[in-house]
Amino acid sequence: MSSEISSADEHHLRRCVELAKQALENGDDPFGSVLVDADGVVLAEEMNREKSDRDPTAHPELALVRWAIAHLTPEQRATSTVYTSGEHCPMCAAAHGWAGLGRIVAAASAEQLAGWRTSWGLPAGPVAPLPIRGVVPHAVVSAPVAPFDAEMREVHRRAATQAQR
């Protein structure tokens, strides 16, 4: 699924990893996302807030979809890019598709995350780990992106270790 990754893509993915680490430090699952316009300007960023908000749908990708709908025209949404530390879950992928957002660049894939969780003896999540294109067939997706996927593996390993304590 991965395609050409630019230095700008790397910059924004680095920020997503930072946001994911911050979410973990705040007691949430480690996910972070950034919404960027066609000119590369950061419009909004979010981190996972499921536990802190007591809302299992408080995913950063969904928060960015809501922000984009409130602040951008359909044309602006279509030319935007969502960078994220982990590939969208089916809920977030569907919202992305319905909102008409553009390209997605994810550090780690849903398949990777599911495999990591299994290898650490963790239970599967409540929703199938479908690839984004399984939900939004025409989405333009670059995932996983090395070396950010390896870094996210370590962040998720830390989260798993904390959860097992």
Coordinates of all heavy atoms in Angstrom, one line a residue, residues 117 123-128:
R117 N -0.4 -6.9 18.6 CA -1.3 -7.2 19.8 C -1.4 -8.7 20.0 O -1.3 -9.2 21.1 CB -2.7 -6.6 19.6 CG -2.7 -5.1 19.7 CD -4.2 -4.6 19.5 NE -5.1 -5.1 20.5 CZ -5.2 -4.6 21.8 NH1 -4.5 -3.6 22.1 NH2 -6.1 -5.2 22.6
P123 N -5.9 -9.3 23.8 CA -7.1 -9.6 23.1 C -7.3 -8.7 21.8 O -6.8 -7.6 21.8 CB -8.2 -9.4 24.1 CG -7.7 -8.4 25.0 CD -6.2 -8.7 25.1
A124 N -8.0 -9.3 20.9 CA -8.3 -8.5 19.7 C -9.2 -7.3 20.1 O -9.9 -7.4 21.1 CB -9.0 -9.3 18.7
G125 N -9.1 -6.2 19.3 CA -10.0 -5.1 19.6 C -11.5 -5.4 19.3 O -11.7 -6.5 18.7
P126 N -12.4 -4.6 19.6 CA -13.8 -4.8 19.4 C -14.3 -4.7 18.0 O -15.4 -5.2 17.6 CB -14.5 -3.8 20.3 CG -13.5 -2.7 20.3 CD -12.2 -3.3 20.3
V127 N -13.4 -4.2 17.1 CA -13.8 -4.0 15.7 C -12.7 -4.6 14.8 O -11.5 -4.6 15.1 CB -13.9 -2.5 15.4 CG1 -14.1 -2.2 13.9 CG2 -14.9 -1.8 16.2
A128 N -13.1 -5.3 13.7 CA -12.1 -5.9 12.9 C -11.1 -4.9 12.3 O -11.5 -3.8 12.0 CB -12.9 -6.6 11.7

